[in-house]
Amino acid sequence: MDVKSTKNFVFWLFCQFELITCSYLMEPWEKVLFYSFNLSMVGMLFYTTYVCAAAHVSTGLQFLWNLLGNQHENAVSVVK
Amino acid sequence: NHIVHNGGLYKRPFNEAFEETPMLVAVLTYVGYGVLTLFGYLRDFMRQWKIEKCQNATEREEQKDFVPLYQDFENFYNRNLYMRIRDSWNRPICSVPGAKVDMMERVSHDYNWTFTYTGRVIKDIINMGSYNYLGFAQNAGACQEAAAKVLSQYGAGVCSTRHEMGNLDKHEELEKLVARFLGVESAMAYGMGFATNSMNIPALVSKGCLILSDELNHASLVLGARLSGATIRIFKHNNMQSLEKLLKDAIVHGQPRTRRPWKKILILVEGIYSMEGSIVRLPEVIALKKKYKSYLYLDEAHSIGALGPSGRGVVEYFGLNPEDVDVMMGTFTKSFGAAGGYIGGKKELIDYLRTYSHSAVYATSMSPPVVEQIITSVKCIMGEDGTTIGEARVQQLAENTRYFRRRLKEMGFIIYGNEDSPVVPLMLYMPAKIGAFGREMLKRNIGVVVVGFPATPIIESRARFCLSAAHTKEMLDTALKEINEVGDLLQLKYSRRRLVPLLDRPFDETTYEETED
């Protein structure tokens, strides 16, 4: 079943993360502390991306659109 | 088709490789150690402010204002890192450490601070950790019967030192036999291998002499060198250019302040280095020793019985003359299934050591059943007991070594050391994998020895397999299958298959390492 093998793969990935960051060796309360710290960091990263990066990307797209629009208008006026 | 350089010193190809640590693995290892260090600081903080119960050794209340005793890095490492993976060491075994061993099961309910025995015995664990190279760790057979007979004749204790009343006829017989086995004039046996090194080097060298010791020498050699009071200089591991440079400097400049010539120059090397699995470049060392007129002390603790077509050690492996090595030292612990050490050499040297060695004067002599075990096993290896068991075992060990190393390399693990050495270090690198490897292998009924800091550099932790002639091919295949499984589970197959064979030609500025993809 594809779902089972995906689940196994995700679990194996999580085990590798545990081994690399040595959370495999930690006591349960230490694991809770460590994972909550990691998840809060990742959450803040997503929030920052949403707030700042989205604004930058939309400004950039607007600029590009204006550039293309002007070109189109200039070309049309010359032909006229 | 092997073109031999170095003036034709090597009669056989010398294949040694130490694959470099992959950069990503090194970075991730440091990340792991960083996380553990942070949590170590947190736990120490909690222990100091009494938020958590302190279970390790601390000073008494009255001594809290004194200079702190447990603040150095070693104690920090011990409390916070070693304790987490401590269950892989000091495992109690309850049978003879042959190819298969029984182990007492133990659990810990407070994260390895204390252990309790469940009462169950785990039977028939494949033993990949004992130094049992020729399989003489047996509780049945010719050696055991002879030792039992001698035990009933002489008893177990000697109750004296060699000088006083402890020199038995068994000891004389053993020493003559060992001298014949090694091909030297005379030999002397001691009760403890560590004490052989640490107590005899001070008898051979003193202040005003120079000791050139390999970087990765054993603690017994280092202790003996330091106790002697001689000047110690270290050369890079198995690196003959480094050794030659040190020798040249020693001859040219002499002693540091007075510029007098050194009284003696002693080179300390080992036959097989047990943490790396590398074999010493003995032909080159002997050539250098003869050129610069120095003495050679060869510690064959792991190589005696394990190398060479008839098991006589690294000198026979390279086809050299035993008389070229001034002091041949070895132990009976690894290949002979007993305990103790020996030193072999010229008769004048051994007679001097009989009088002036600390171990001879102060240490109790070897116990008679142990001596008989050594005598019987040496006779077996030499073939003098009328059977070909010894020869068969030496060949079986060589076959096992080649097979095991080849299969592990094919699987993609990073293996250090020489192709022919029965000590096989498998690199683990990350601290969590040290504990995980030991536990997973025990779950699959294989006992391994894992090694970390401080026995190895901090990022190069490893699992060390010691092969034995007692391992059958089926046992090795089972072990290899399990190692393969655990390697996939823990992602241990780091090798990028870029074999960098060590240079066999003269080193100059234009040579660079070969890589093959």
Side-chain angles (χ1 to χ4, degrees):
Chain A
M1 271 218 303
D2 212 27
V3 176
K4 196 169 191 306
S5 72
T6 322
K7 228 170 49 150
N8 278 344
F9 180 65
V10 170
F11 182 66
W12 178 81
L13 268 184
F14 176 66
C15 282
Q16 297 309 306
F17 170 77
E18 269 202 326
L19 281 172
I20 291 174
T21 55
C22 301
S23 48
Y24 172 86
L25 300 174
M26 295 179 191
E27 300 173 23
W29 64 268
E30 287 174 330
K31 276 194 201 181
V32 162
L33 202 65
F34 185 63
Y35 291 151
S36 55
F37 175 76
N38 276 4
L39 287 172
S40 60
M41 283 289 132
V42 168
M44 280 198 271
L45 189 77
F46 278 141
Y47 177 69
T48 321
T49 317
Y50 172 70
V51 167
C52 301
H56 286 310
V57 164
S58 75
T59 324
L61 275 175
Q62 235 181 9
F63 179 69
L64 260 171
W65 181 246
N66 274 343
L67 202 66
L68 280 171
N70 270 345
Q71 225 180 35
H72 180 72
E73 274 169 27
N74 287 343
V76 164
S77 60
V78 164
V79 164
K80 238 178 168 175
Chain B
N1 246 358
H2 182 86
I3 305 172
V4 176
H5 297 267
N6 294 324
L9 284 173
Y10 287 89
K11 301 185 184 74
R12 56 188 300 160
F14 188 84
N15 293 323
E16 205 165 85
F18 299 94
E19 193 175 328
E20 216 186 274
T21 313
M23 177 63 84
L24 181 64
V25 173
V27 167
L28 291 177
T29 313
Y30 282 122
V31 163
Y33 274 113
V35 169
L36 280 179
T37 315
L38 285 174
F39 273 94
Y41 281 133
L42 175 70
R43 297 290 291 270
D44 274 350
F45 174 78
M46 286 168 58
R47 275 188 272 259
Q48 190 176 25
W49 285 90
K50 308 275 194 300
I51 307 173
E52 186 192 356
K53 187 167 89 119
C54 184
Q55 284 160 313
N56 58 297
T58 42
E59 303 104 322
R60 297 206 309 259
E61 272 310 309
E62 307 86 65
Q63 294 168 334
K64 289 276 181 204
D65 293 325
F66 291 11
V67 175
L69 286 175
Y70 301 106
Q71 295 292 89
D72 54 347
F73 179 68
E74 225 181 79
N75 281 300
F76 176 83
Y77 181 87
N78 202 27
R79 286 195 290 271
N80 297 311
L81 277 81
Y82 174 68
M83 279 296 166
R84 294 180 193 266
I85 46 179
R86 197 162 80 120
D87 56 311
S88 298
W89 290 286
N90 295 326
R91 290 183 184 150
I93 62 174
C94 49
S95 77
V96 68
K100 293 207 170 167
V101 74
D102 301 337
M103 204 180 282
M104 296 184 66
E105 199 188 20
R106 54 181 190 168
V107 289
S108 172
H109 298 290
D110 52 356
Y111 302 102
N112 292 348
W113 286 97
T114 57
F115 291 103
T116 48
Y117 295 107
T118 58
R120 197 172 81 94
V121 170
I122 313 175
K123 289 212 164 286
D124 288 337
I125 295 179
I126 298 180
N127 187 358
M128 306 290 300
S130 289
Y131 303 132
N132 185 20
Y133 298 130
L134 292 178
F136 280 111
Q138 295 164 308
N139 56 357
C143 295
Q144 180 264 339
E145 285 163 20
K149 211 157 73 91
V150 164
L151 180 64
S152 56
Q153 190 186 352
Y154 287 85
V158 183
C159 310
S160 185
T161 66
R162 285 297 291 273
H163 265 203
E164 294 166 8
M165 283 269 277
N167 194 15
L168 306 173
D169 56 344
K170 283 277 159 209
H171 293 129
E172 302 277 330
E173 190 190 333
L174 171 67
E175 286 172 1
K176 288 202 188 61
L177 185 64
V178 167
R180 209 151 46 84
F181 178 68
L182 296 170
V184 292
E185 281 180 27
S186 172
M188 180 167 178
Y190 304 89
M192 184 177 159
F194 190 99
T196 312
N197 270 332
S198 47
M199 298 293 119
N200 284 310
I201 298 179
L204 295 172
V205 290
S206 60
K207 215 153 108 64
C209 304
L210 175 66
I211 291 182
L212 298 175
S213 148
D214 190 292
E215 208 178 11
L216 299 175
N217 266 341
H218 190 251
S220 55
L221 290 165
V222 172
L223 184 63
R226 287 182 188 170
L227 274 177
S228 67
T231 314
I232 309 173
R233 302 225 171 117
I234 315 283
F235 62 92
K236 295 206 187 63
H237 177 59
N238 234 0
N239 188 331
M240 296 299 116
Q241 288 79 33
S242 171
L243 176 60
E244 183 163 17
K245 183 169 184 310
L246 283 179
L247 278 166
K248 276 190 191 159
D249 284 342
I251 304 283
V252 164
H253 297 295
Q255 299 194 28
R257 197 175 42 87
T258 56
R259 300 290 191 208
R260 284 195 211 137
W262 294 100
K263 281 201 254 174
K264 256 178 265 189
I265 303 181
L266 184 66
I267 306 176
L268 293 183
V269 286
E270 289 188 39
I272 292 183
Y273 292 89
S274 63
M275 278 304 152
E276 311 283 311
S278 53
I279 299 182
V280 66
R281 291 174 179 274
L282 198 59
E284 293 179 61
V285 174
I286 289 187
L288 281 174
K289 163 196 110 92
K290 285 183 179 162
K291 180 173 170 189
Y292 292 100
K293 300 202 179 22
S294 49
Y295 299 97
L296 180 59
Y297 184 107
L298 178 66
D299 178 347
E300 288 204 85
H302 287 270
S303 53
I304 190 77
L307 286 181
S310 68
R312 286 169 204 236
V314 71
V315 174
E316 198 201 12
Y317 174 75
F318 285 113
L320 301 165
N321 189 355
E323 292 186 10
D324 285 335
V325 180
D326 302 289
V327 189
M328 283 180 76
M329 177 265 171
T331 60
F332 299 120
T333 323
K334 278 90 187 182
S335 298
F336 302 99
Y342 65 84
I343 288 196
K346 295 258 179 316
K347 190 166 182 318
E348 295 86 29
L349 171 75
I350 301 298
D351 285 343
Y352 176 83
L353 281 178
R354 276 186 218 280
T355 329
Y356 287 97
S357 158
H358 296 283
S359 191
V361 176
Y362 297 109
T364 315
S365 39
M366 274 169 123
S367 182
V370 174
V371 175
E372 186 60 31
Q373 157 82 18
I374 304 168
I375 293 178
T376 324
S377 54
V378 170
K379 283 198 178 138
C380 181
I381 296 174
M382 293 209 291
E384 285 182 9
D385 59 342
T387 63
T388 51
I389 296 179
E391 204 184 311
R393 283 184 185 195
V394 173
Q395 277 173 4
Q396 178 71 29
L397 177 66
E399 263 177 52
N400 284 353
T401 307
R402 276 195 295 269
Y403 178 65
F404 197 74
R405 275 178 169 269
R406 183 175 58 84
R407 285 287 304 274
L408 280 181
K409 285 223 177 84
E410 279 169 14
M411 285 181 197
F413 294 101
I414 297 187
I415 306 289
Y416 273 11
N418 198 304
E419 288 289 315
D420 291 316
S421 103
V423 179
V424 186
L426 186 149
M427 303 308 288
L428 298 172
Y429 297 114
M430 299 179 198
K433 295 193 185 179
I434 307 174
F437 192 77
R439 289 174 203 160
E440 291 295 321
M441 292 303 278
L442 189 59
K443 271 192 220 162
R444 292 165 171 77
N445 253 16
I446 301 185
V448 295
V449 168
V450 287
V451 204
F453 182 81
T456 63
I458 195 151
I459 52 164
E460 289 171 23
S461 52
R462 56 201 76 172
R464 190 183 64 179
F465 300 106
C466 290
L467 296 166
S468 165
H471 286 137
T472 60
K473 193 152 182 299
E474 291 75 39
M475 283 187 217
L476 286 184
D477 283 333
T478 322
L480 283 164
K481 190 169 77 74
E482 304 296 354
I483 295 171
N484 197 11
E485 227 177 89
V486 174
D488 280 330
L489 181 69
L490 300 179
Q491 273 286 69
L492 291 173
K493 298 189 176 174
Y494 301 120
S495 176
R496 290 172 299 185
R497 314 227 182 232
R498 279 191 345 156
L499 292 170
V500 182
L502 250 45
L503 295 177
D504 210 38
R505 50 181 188 272
F507 179 84
D508 58 38
E509 281 76 41
T510 60
T511 52
Y512 48 89
E513 290 171 341
E514 307 162 353
T515 57
E516 10 174 314
D517 278 292

